[in-house]
Amino acid sequence: MKIERIHHVAYRCLDAKTTVEWYQKHLGMDFVLAIAEDKVPSTKADDPYMHLFLDAGQGNVLAFFELPTAKPMGRDENTPAWVQHIAFKVGSVAELEAKKAELEAAGIAVIGVTDHTIFKSIYFFDPNGHRVELAADVGTPEMYAKLDACKWEMLEEWSRTKRAPKQAAWMHEKEFHPA
């Protein structure tokens, strides 16, 4: 068996309606489906929920659960906030910069544009506290080939040492990040 694509990625939300409206307004996602149950189908637990689905483009679906009777939402406090996020691809750096200006005009704090050499990103939080990244690819075929050629070696070295391997250190050289 080979996975075809991600069916959906699900997160918890504070308020289903606010979440749908925010993703429609700020990221242009269409609201495609809502499922509400009093019992969880897989566990049969009495745990009412609203499960909503948003079109994230090209068959990708972002879903949320509102759980009104569950304990308040939290996050893994042992993991830095920058680690847990969802990233969406946009078509160009110009689109990324325009979205940054639009989000900031709406009062949403934005980090970036951050240069990752092979893509550029902006970061912000949705109304549920989930970190969102928008990324525009800028790498060349040669860059991607160079990274592909060393990925297993890097993984093996990391696995042994738990220190950052240097095979892709070229990504941080002045040539790619002029002062």
Side-chain angles (χ1 to χ4, degrees), residues 89 116-120 136-151 170-171:
K89 183 180 184 304
H116 300 286
T117 305
I118 58 170
F119 61 95
K120 294 185 180 189
D137 291 337
V138 297
T140 65
E142 295 78 20
M143 289 175 174
Y144 295 119
K146 194 171 182 178
L147 290 169
D148 185 59
C150 68
K151 66 188 177 198
W170 58 267
M171 293 177 63

Side-chain angles (χ1 to χ4, degrees), residues 153-159 161-169:
E153 182 182 343
M154 289 179 69
L155 181 61
E156 289 299 325
E157 184 176 331
W158 175 265
S159 188
T161 67
K162 300 301 182 204
R163 298 180 58 95
K166 301 302 180 203
Q167 292 89 337

Side-chain angles (χ1 to χ4, degrees), residues 20-31:
V20 167
E21 290 170 348
W22 191 90
Y23 276 88
Q24 283 181 318
K25 177 179 180 180
H26 296 294
L27 297 182
M29 290 186 185
D30 291 330
F31 179 34

Side-chain angles (χ1 to χ4, degrees), residues 20-162:
V20 167
E21 290 170 348
W22 191 90
Y23 276 88
Q24 283 181 318
K25 177 179 180 180
H26 296 294
L27 297 182
M29 290 186 185
D30 291 330
F31 179 34
V32 294
L33 178 66
I35 299 170
E37 302 282 349
D38 290 319
K39 288 186 182 282
V40 179
S42 59
T43 67
K44 308 301 183 216
D46 288 321
D47 199 0
Y49 65 85
M50 169 61 74
H51 192 21
L52 50 104
F53 298 78
L54 299 161
D55 181 351
Q58 297 190 18
N60 296 292
V61 176
L62 178 61
F64 290 92
F65 283 96
E66 183 180 342
L67 307 171
T69 62
K71 292 180 182 177
M73 261 176 65
R75 57 173 300 279
D76 175 1
E77 294 301 325
N78 294 321
T79 301
W82 60 267
V83 172
Q84 296 174 336
H85 66 280
I86 185 159
F88 299 104
K89 183 180 184 304
V90 299
S92 69
V93 174
E95 286 181 70
L96 193 66
E97 291 168 342
K99 182 51 72 174
K100 175 183 176 162
E102 183 183 309
L103 291 166
E104 288 175 335
I108 298 169
V110 178
I111 296 171
V113 172
T114 301
D115 187 350
H116 300 286
T117 305
I118 58 170
F119 61 95
K120 294 185 180 189
S121 298
I122 60 173
Y123 303 90
F124 48 95
F125 289 89
D126 80 359
N128 306 296
H130 300 303
R131 192 173 200 221
V132 177
E133 175 182 6
L134 298 181
D137 291 337
V138 297
T140 65
E142 295 78 20
M143 289 175 174
Y144 295 119
K146 194 171 182 178
L147 290 169
D148 185 59
C150 68
K151 66 188 177 198
W152 286 105
E153 182 182 343
M154 289 179 69
L155 181 61
E156 289 299 325
E157 184 176 331
W158 175 265
S159 188
R160 285 190 317 276
T161 67
K162 300 301 182 204

